[in-house]
Amino acid sequence: MEFKTKKLRNLQIAMVMMGALSFTSCGDIEEPDGKWDPMVWHAEVPTDWQNNAFVVDANGEEFTFSCKNYSKPWLYDAQYAGEYYHPIVEDNEYHTIDWHTISLDWFKAEIKDNQLKVTFDANQQTEERPINLTVTAGDIFYTFNFKQSASK
């Protein structure tokens, strides 16, 4: 009989402790949402920046950027002509998404560790091609704006 009494007593103590923790566990903890430092990017070679966008040569060009304050950001999406393009899905399953590559027929973005490489093929069109590429590291986002010149 003494064994059952101890077991019941231990169960009661455990229940009281769990109850106390449930009231205190979420109280004064600051949430990180919105408190992340902005991403700081550095172009590895000089770039032409005009009207809030990197200017891309009509013949194609490659850009390399390094993130200075986040070690492993990943790609979120690219926006071109009103459409959104997302990282490559390999098997239509969430866990097989390659968060490090986004590509179109003429554009490719790849990220490895803190280094982003963006490649543009030649623009054969008579209109410029603006594209926005968004990178994330959780709750912080950074958007690169590019405008590829038109073929003349």
Side-chain angles (χ1 to χ4, degrees):
M1 186 88 167
E2 185 177 322
F3 176 71
K4 286 184 180 178
T5 305
K6 278 188 174 182
K7 189 174 180 181
L8 181 60
R9 180 75 175 145
N10 288 340
L11 181 60
Q12 288 173 335
I13 291 171
M15 295 298 283
V16 169
M17 289 175 64
M18 286 186 350
L21 286 174
S22 69
F23 288 114
T24 61
S25 65
C26 296
D28 295 330
I29 297 173
E30 283 192 39
E31 295 295 322
D33 294 344
K35 299 191 185 335
W36 294 56
D37 291 331
M39 287 182 156
V40 176
W41 290 91
H42 171 74
E44 296 300 319
V45 296
T47 58
D48 188 6
W49 175 261
Q50 294 177 11
N51 299 322
N52 295 318
F54 292 101
V55 177
V56 182
D57 191 275
N59 294 320
E61 198 167 348
E62 183 176 287
F63 296 84
T64 303
F65 302 93
S66 295
C67 186
K68 296 302 180 186
N69 59 337
Y70 291 94
S71 62
K72 294 192 181 214
W74 60 93
L75 299 173
Y76 183 73
D77 69 17
Q79 182 184 13
Y80 170 67
E83 296 288 326
Y84 288 90
Y85 300 89
H86 299 280
I88 297 170
V89 177
E90 296 173 356
D91 290 328
N92 293 330
E93 297 290 331
Y94 179 79
H95 63 279
T96 58
I97 295 175
D98 176 5
W99 294 101
H100 302 97
T101 307
I102 293 179
S103 62
L104 285 69
D105 292 340
W106 52 273
F107 166 88
K108 185 172 186 177
E110 299 173 288
I111 197 164
K112 183 176 181 186
D113 296 324
N114 71 326
Q115 198 161 58
L116 171 66
K117 183 170 80 170
V118 183
T119 307
F120 292 83
D121 291 342
N123 184 1
Q124 304 299 327
Q125 300 174 7
T126 57
E127 295 180 10
E128 71 179 13
R129 293 194 286 207
I131 189 166
N132 302 327
L133 175 67
T134 302
V135 178
T136 185
D139 284 348
I140 187 73
F141 296 85
Y142 187 93
T143 300
F144 292 87
N145 301 310
F146 297 95
K147 285 188 183 174
Q148 186 173 20
S149 302
S151 177
K152 295 182 180 182

